Amino acid sequence: MKIHGWGRYSLVDAKVLKPEKINDINKLIDINEKIIARGLGRSYGDSANAPKVLRTSYCDHFLEFDEKTGRLTAEAGITLREILKVTVPRGWFLPVTPGTSYVTLGGAIASDVHGKNHHSAGTFGQHVKTISMILGTGEVVTASDVTNTDLFHATCGAMGLTGVILSASIQLIPI
């Protein structure tokens, strides 16, 4: 399959693996030596272009949402658009939004996206509470400011090079 990023360069002939659920990701990583995670392909460059890519956009479920505190946990393939559809009517908004809502949660973290409010809200990664990810070894780990701290901070903005983000918890802001 031919793939490219948002900027339409470079065009790569890739084997695109499409796990239907999170549990399938571990199996695909075990059998593929070199692989990079890919959400919706909205990165401007070629960060998610490789001969073998793991399309995570099918792993797009809400796992938990606390309407009182605004803490949301979802699978990495969910789009910011879907998050907003559910949370805005309940009085919550994303603290940082890039120029398009057609970005996955995992992609927003991996790219550590910013928005027009960057000067006051910082980057997306500053609002992430926990990340569940699978390392290249197949080990599933949770990282946060308290647990696996170095991995947590390295993952925000690492463009998928620290592992495949499975799910994440983020803190929303009240409207």
Side-chain angles (χ1 to χ4, degrees), residues 51-125:
K52 290 182 189 171
V53 296
L54 181 71
R55 185 164 176 192
T56 60
S57 58
Y58 295 102
C59 302
D60 60 352
H61 301 92
F62 287 96
L63 301 176
E64 188 177 344
F65 177 49
D66 186 333
E67 290 187 48
K68 292 181 182 175
T69 65
R71 187 161 175 156
L72 171 79
T73 304
E75 292 176 345
I78 197 162
T79 64
L80 300 186
R81 183 176 205 76
E82 282 301 313
I83 290 172
L84 291 171
K85 279 186 194 178
V86 169
T87 61
V88 167
R90 291 169 172 83
W92 295 96
F93 200 77
L94 291 165
V96 173
T97 53
T100 178
S101 60
Y102 293 105
V103 175
T104 62
L105 177 60
I109 295 167
S111 298
D112 201 12
V113 298
H114 67 279
K116 298 289 185 195
N117 62 346
H118 182 79
H119 63 285
S120 60
T123 62
F124 198 87

Side-chain angles (χ1 to χ4, degrees), residues 1-4 10-15 46 49-53:
M1 166 185 246
K2 301 279 186 191
I3 62 171
H4 56 76
S10 63
L11 189 63
V12 175
D13 191 17
K15 179 176 182 182
D46 60 358
N49 292 351
K52 290 182 189 171
V53 296

